[in-house]
Amino acid sequence: MDAAMVCGGILEIPLAHCVSKGYTHRMKDSGMRIRVERQLREKFLELCREQDRPASQVIREFMREYIERNEQTIANDKNKGRNLERR
């Protein structure tokens, strides 16, 4: 299987698609409980259903994108602080 893998042991799907959709064989071993306004929750779930996507998958994708966007910014801020201390 060159550019493909078995997602969840069932289907042969291109690896890039599996990763972008969160369908890898990694075990999910942790949970998170959050409190949100009922209206926000209902609208979010409605949109997920319309797109035929599990809400948990959408949230995991958001978390990965958030980390990717912010890791570099945080690293740059830390380096700026170190550079200021050296002066």
Side-chain angles (χ1 to χ4, degrees):
M1 277 187 261
D2 293 321
M5 72 172 281
V6 177
C7 293
I10 300 171
L11 301 172
E12 190 172 307
I13 300 174
L15 179 59
H17 181 76
C18 294
V19 173
S20 69
K21 297 295 182 186
Y23 297 134
T24 60
H25 50 65
R26 289 178 285 170
M27 296 294 293
K28 292 155 191 83
D29 60 0
S30 183
M32 179 182 294
R33 184 178 179 125
I34 61 170
R35 305 214 30 101
V36 297
E37 297 86 6
R38 184 178 305 271
Q39 186 176 12
L40 176 63
R41 178 186 178 274
E42 295 305 318
K43 185 63 178 173
F44 176 71
L45 292 176
E46 177 184 331
L47 288 172
C48 289
R49 281 190 293 269
E50 287 176 9
Q51 296 175 351
D52 196 27
R53 299 180 68 204
S56 58
Q57 175 186 335
V58 175
I59 292 170
R60 282 191 300 273
E61 287 176 10
F62 167 78
M63 292 171 74
R64 288 183 190 106
E65 290 168 7
Y66 183 85
I67 290 167
E68 188 175 313
R69 280 194 317 265
N70 289 283
E71 275 186 326
Q72 188 60 47
T73 302
I74 291 169
N76 289 342
D77 290 348
K78 286 180 181 178
N79 285 335
K80 285 180 188 175
R82 287 186 192 124
N83 289 337
L84 291 175
E85 290 174 3
R86 291 179 188 162
R87 291 182 183 179

